[in-house]
C-alpha cells in the first residue's frame, strides 16, 4: 500500500521569498506523484505531476517540484511567493506496480496550509 | 471548456434520509472517481468508474453507499439512511485515461447531516 506524508501542517513565507512545501511518499514500486492546490470552498486544482524522466517538473503558476528517489521526496517549490499563493496544498501518489484495491485512486497527504505574508 | 461539474454544492439531510450527489465529468473524459474529505483530512478514495462499469469500489463503505455511471447522464453517488458521520465534502474527479493521467476535480458537494 502507498502513503504520503506532509510533515508541516502550515508553512509561513514572506511575499517575494522562495517557498518549499515538503512531501515524502512510500510505495512498494515506482511512483506517480502529483501536487494539487485547494482554495477555500473549492475543488482541487492540478499543479504538476511526475511520471518519468527529468526529476525537476515544472507546473502551473510558476510552481515546480523535484523528484528525489533516494529520499522518496517530491517537494513543491516556487522561487518567489505571491500572496495569492496562500492556499491548502496536497501531495498525492499512485504506486505504478500496485494493482490491488484502490490502484486507480490517488493517495493524498493531509495537506499543508501555505500562508504568504505581505 | 467546462470543467467537472457537481451538484448540488450544498446538501442538508436529516438522519435516515437519502443523499444523491451528481457529477458530470469533463468533456471527453470517461474515467470518474469519487473521494471523501473529512475536516482537516486529505481526500480518501472511494470508487472508480467507467461508463456503465464499477472498476474499483475498494474505498466505499460496505453498506448504504453505492455509485453508478450510466451510459447517458452524470455519475451518481448515493448514500442511503445517512448518519451524522457521513457529513463531509464529496469530490468527484475525471481523467482522460488511467494511472499516469492527472485527475481533474469538481468543486465538491458539502453534505451536512442533521
Amino acid at each position: 500500500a502507498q502513503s504520503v506524508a506532509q510533515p508541516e501542517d502550515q508553512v509561513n513565507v514572506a511575499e517575494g521569498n522562495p517557498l518549499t512545501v515538503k512531501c515524502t511518499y512510500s510505495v512498494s514500486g515506482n511512483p506517480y506523484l502529483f501536487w494539487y492546490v485547494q482554495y477555500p470552498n473549492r475543488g482541487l486544482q492540478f499543479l504538476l505531476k511526475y511520471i518519468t524522466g527529468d526529476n525537476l517538473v515544472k507546473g502551473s503558476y510558476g510552481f515546480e517540484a523535484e523528484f528525489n528517489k533516494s529520499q522518496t521526496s517530491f517537494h513543491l517549490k516556487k522561487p518567489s511567493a505571491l500572496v495569492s499563493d496562500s492556499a491548502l496544498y496536497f501531495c498525492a501518489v499512485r504506486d505504478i506496480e500496485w494493482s490491488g484495491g484502490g490502484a486507480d485512486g490517488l493517495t493524498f497527504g493531509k495537506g499543508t496550509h501555505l500562508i504568504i505574508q505581505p | 471548456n467546462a470543467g467537472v461539474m457537481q451538484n448540488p454544492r450544498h446538501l442538508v439531510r436529516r438522519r435516515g434520509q437519502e443523499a444523491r450527489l451528481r457529477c458530470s465529468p469533463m468533456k471527453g473524459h470517461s474515467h470518474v472517481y469519487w473521494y471523501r474529505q473529512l475536516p482537516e483530512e486529505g481526500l480518501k478514495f472511494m470508487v472508480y468508474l467507467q461508463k456503465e462499469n464499477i472498476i474499483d469500489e475498494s474505498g466505499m463503505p460496505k453498506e448504504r453507499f453505492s455509485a453508478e455511471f450510466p451510459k447517458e447522464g452524470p455519475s451518481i453517488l448515493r448514500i442511503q439512511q445517512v448518519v451524522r458521520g457521513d457529513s463531509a465534502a464529496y469530490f468527484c474527479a475525471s481523467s482522460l485515461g488511467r494511472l499516469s493521467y492527472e485527475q481533474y476535480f469538481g468543486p465538491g458537494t458539502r453534505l451536512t447531516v442533521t
Side-chain angles (χ1 to χ4, degrees):
Chain A
Q2 54 264 38
S3 66
V4 174
Q6 293 182 243
E8 301 154 316
D9 290 336
Q10 184 170 303
V11 171
N12 294 282
V13 177
E15 187 177 23
N17 282 2
L19 69 87
T20 299
V21 182
K22 295 179 181 177
C23 170
T24 59
Y25 65 90
S26 174
V27 295
S28 55
N30 289 304
Y32 292 141
L33 292 155
F34 304 81
W35 274 102
Y36 286 84
V37 59
Q38 185 180 31
Y39 296 98
N41 299 314
R42 303 282 294 277
L44 277 68
Q45 294 180 32
F46 170 73
L47 281 178
L48 50 79
K49 68 179 179 182
Y50 171 82
I51 302 300
T52 186
D54 194 346
N55 289 344
L56 185 63
V57 178
K58 294 188 183 296
S60 306
Y61 312 119
F63 284 94
E64 58 189 29
E66 185 165 13
F67 171 62
N68 187 317
K69 187 171 184 177
S70 63
Q71 297 185 5
T72 61
S73 67
F74 189 56
H75 301 331
L76 182 70
K77 298 181 180 183
K78 187 173 182 181
S80 179
L82 300 172
V83 172
S84 57
D85 292 330
S86 298
L88 183 57
Y89 289 79
F90 289 100
C91 181
V93 69
R94 180 185 282 136
D95 186 339
I96 296 173
E97 275 108 55
W98 175 248
S99 58
D104 285 279
L106 294 174
T107 298
F108 283 86
K110 290 190 175 183
T112 298
H113 291 274
L114 177 63
I115 298 174
I116 309 302
Q117 294 150 337
Chain B
N1 184 13
V4 177
M5 299 176 68
Q6 290 187 249
N7 66 81
R9 293 291 305 275
H10 300 275
L11 182 62
V12 179
R13 286 286 179 265
R14 291 199 179 101
R15 280 177 295 172
Q17 290 184 321
E18 178 180 287
R20 282 187 178 232
L21 288 62
R22 297 175 193 79
C23 168
S24 296
M26 285 181 69
K27 187 176 181 181
H29 289 192
S30 60
H31 303 259
V32 167
Y33 314 79
W34 285 92
Y35 292 83
R36 178 163 63 177
Q37 184 180 35
L38 295 171
E40 302 304 317
E41 294 283 334
L43 279 70
K44 303 291 186 187
F45 168 77
M46 299 179 74
V47 61
Y48 162 51
L49 311 100
Q50 294 181 21
K51 283 284 188 182
E52 300 185 279
N53 285 300
I54 298 174
I55 307 301
D56 181 352
E57 56 182 349
S58 59
M60 289 270 274
K62 295 285 185 265
E63 297 178 349
R64 303 187 295 107
F65 284 72
S66 62
E68 63 177 13
F69 188 18
K71 186 176 180 180
E72 301 290 338
S75 175
I76 307 285
L77 179 67
R78 182 183 179 200
I79 311 172
Q80 295 178 290
Q81 299 176 334
V82 297
V83 300
R84 287 213 172 122
D86 297 332
S87 295
Y90 292 83
F91 290 94
C92 169
S94 71
S95 67
L96 200 54
R98 295 179 80 167
L99 301 180
S100 67
Y101 287 83
E102 60 271 25
Q103 297 174 15
Y104 291 89
F105 284 78
T109 294
R110 278 154 183 82
L111 172 65
T112 301
V113 179
T114 62

